[in-house]
Amino acid sequence: MEVVSEFRSWDELIPDALGLIFSNLSLLEKMTVIPRVCKSWAKAVAGPYCWQEIDIEEWSSRCQPHQIDRMLRLLITRSSGSLRKLSVSGLQTHSIFTFLAQNARSLQTLRVPRSNMSDSIVEDIAGRLCMISFLDVSYCIKIGAYALEIIGKNCKLLQGLCRNMHPLDTAGKPFQDEEAFAIAATMPKLKHLEMAYHLISTEGVLRILSVCPNLEFLDLRGCWGVKLDNMFLKQNFPKLKVLGPLVLGYYEREGWDDCSDFSDTSEYLSWEFVAGDVGDYDDDESESYDGMWDDEGRLEELELRFYEGIDDARMYWPPSP
């Protein structure tokens, strides 16, 4: 008579259940620890279940562009078209944006701050980002009002936009409202808008408020050309929370989950591809999983190191809410 065990084996869980569990682990654990445990775990982490949400923003801010591109292509390929949320900074090439757009049919949240995005790139890829509801293009200094207008016309579901700027990029320049007017003309469904250290004036802000009735949060820190009367805001926009123009420091995010997707890990990864195979699972049948991370079915060995110091000045950007 077969004895029924009180506990079920982990390797009997279906892949999507395992993927849901593994999605709570760090990038380091998912790429180096989980594949070595057993075949079923290796298979689960190789599938799309673990890669519907990819957050490598903190890691990417410390890497070279070619490393970011290769890692991003690897992880997006793993998602098999199921990617819903992506956070990465410092994208540099037209080709990586094109690759991203080609795999964005399910993408809802996209954070690409500090990227080398241009108006022409936006023009090429915006048509494929129609499902985006939250977009972060902060510190992307090569795009302007034209790009925002294209985004608004193609991303009809957009409810959140981060367009913060670095103070050094705007200091001493004249006020201009072209981007504010583009937002007002094409993004009427916005609920959350960040424009910290932007060169907008009071006229630009009022234009946005007049056509965005659902707006609940507006970040105007460092927007010294904006003068708003508190009584006017309370009477006409009672549900709107405005931060700034005075810079008061950090504050608690409320009511917008997509704006709180920062990793709290202290682990910073630097990796490079070298010849060889990932350490094999100790089983005769493990050959089919040996190199599952590579673009062509094999991933060469990942060398990961931890760095405690932060020497890169790019990390000292103003905090985004």
Side-chain angles (χ1 to χ4, degrees):
M1 182 174 180
E2 184 178 354
V3 179
V4 179
S5 174
E6 183 180 354
F7 303 100
R8 290 197 61 182
S9 176
W10 277 86
D11 60 9
E12 294 179 6
L13 288 176
I14 58 177
D16 53 347
L18 285 172
L20 182 62
I21 296 171
F22 295 156
S23 65
N24 296 303
L25 301 178
S26 68
L27 178 66
L28 172 64
E29 292 170 318
K30 286 189 290 186
M31 295 194 69
T32 62
V33 178
I34 297 301
R36 298 171 182 260
V37 175
C38 65
K39 291 184 295 181
S40 63
W41 286 24
K43 183 177 181 180
V45 82
Y49 312 104
C50 291
W51 310 108
Q52 295 177 356
E53 298 184 6
I54 299 173
D55 185 351
I56 56 173
E57 183 174 344
E58 191 172 8
W59 174 85
S60 60
S61 65
R62 292 163 173 81
C63 295
Q64 295 300 315
H66 73 277
Q67 295 174 318
I68 300 172
D69 286 10
R70 193 164 185 181
M71 177 68 86
L72 194 57
R73 289 176 184 274
L74 176 69
L75 299 182
I76 290 179
T77 300
R78 287 290 101 195
S79 71
S80 300
S82 64
L83 181 63
R84 296 197 306 264
K85 185 181 296 185
L86 174 64
S87 299
V88 57
S89 68
L91 299 185
Q92 297 295 317
T93 64
H94 197 141
S95 62
I96 192 62
F97 279 106
T98 300
F99 179 81
L100 170 61
Q102 290 172 344
N103 295 272
R105 64 177 181 269
S106 300
L107 194 61
Q108 300 171 5
T109 297
L110 177 61
R111 303 182 70 100
V112 285
R114 309 178 188 93
S115 293
N116 192 31
M117 179 184 290
S118 65
D119 287 352
S120 61
I121 290 177
V122 172
E123 191 172 32
D124 287 346
I125 70 173
R128 300 180 181 180
L129 303 178
C130 58
M131 298 301 294
I132 294 289
S133 62
F134 176 80
L135 177 66
D136 185 351
V137 287
S138 296
Y139 320 119
C140 297
I141 62 175
K142 291 188 177 181
I143 64 172
Y146 178 66
L148 293 182
E149 182 179 359
I150 295 174
I151 290 170
K153 289 180 177 179
N154 287 275
C155 304
K156 299 295 185 180
L157 303 178
L158 196 64
Q159 298 184 40
L161 175 67
C162 292
R163 184 68 180 123
N164 301 310
M165 300 297 289
H166 195 287
L168 296 180
D169 292 327
T170 57
K173 296 181 180 179
F175 298 125
Q176 53 181 324
D177 290 312
E178 285 81 2
E179 290 196 16
F181 293 159
I183 291 172
T186 61
M187 306 178 187
K189 296 182 180 180
L190 284 181
K191 293 183 177 181
H192 184 108
L193 177 60
E194 299 178 21
M195 299 190 73
Y197 296 97
H198 223 279
L199 296 169
I200 57 176
S201 69
T202 304
E203 181 184 1
V205 173
L206 292 178
R207 179 77 67 87
I208 292 173
L209 294 180
S210 67
V211 296
C212 297
N214 299 320
L215 200 60
E216 299 174 354
F217 178 81
L218 179 60
D219 182 3
L220 297 174
R221 289 174 301 163
C223 298
W224 310 121
V226 178
K227 308 295 181 183
L228 295 176
D229 181 73
N230 289 334
M231 186 60 66
F232 168 79
L233 291 176
K234 290 181 180 179
Q235 291 177 350
N236 294 277
F237 309 99
K239 296 182 179 180
L240 176 63
K241 178 181 178 181
V242 178
L243 185 67
L246 294 179
V247 180
L248 301 177
Y250 293 97
Y251 71 95
E252 187 69 22
R253 296 184 182 89
E254 297 179 357
W256 191 262
D257 294 338
D258 283 334
C259 293
S260 60
D261 295 331
F262 290 95
S263 172
D264 59 358
T265 180
S266 60
E267 301 174 352
Y268 305 122
L269 309 181
S270 178
W271 63 278
E272 57 189 31
F273 289 96
V274 295
D277 298 327
V278 174
D280 297 338
Y281 170 70
D282 188 18
D283 187 278
D284 293 338
E285 299 179 3
S286 64
E287 286 80 1
S288 59
Y289 304 107
D290 289 346
M292 63 186 176
W293 292 103
D294 194 278
D295 295 340
E296 298 178 357
R298 296 189 56 207
L299 176 65
E300 300 161 316
E301 182 176 340
L302 282 174
E303 181 182 354
L304 301 107
R305 302 187 182 94
F306 293 91
Y307 291 94
E308 297 180 356
I310 301 177
D311 299 324
D312 195 335
R314 290 177 300 174
M315 296 310 300
Y316 296 95
W317 298 80
S320 178

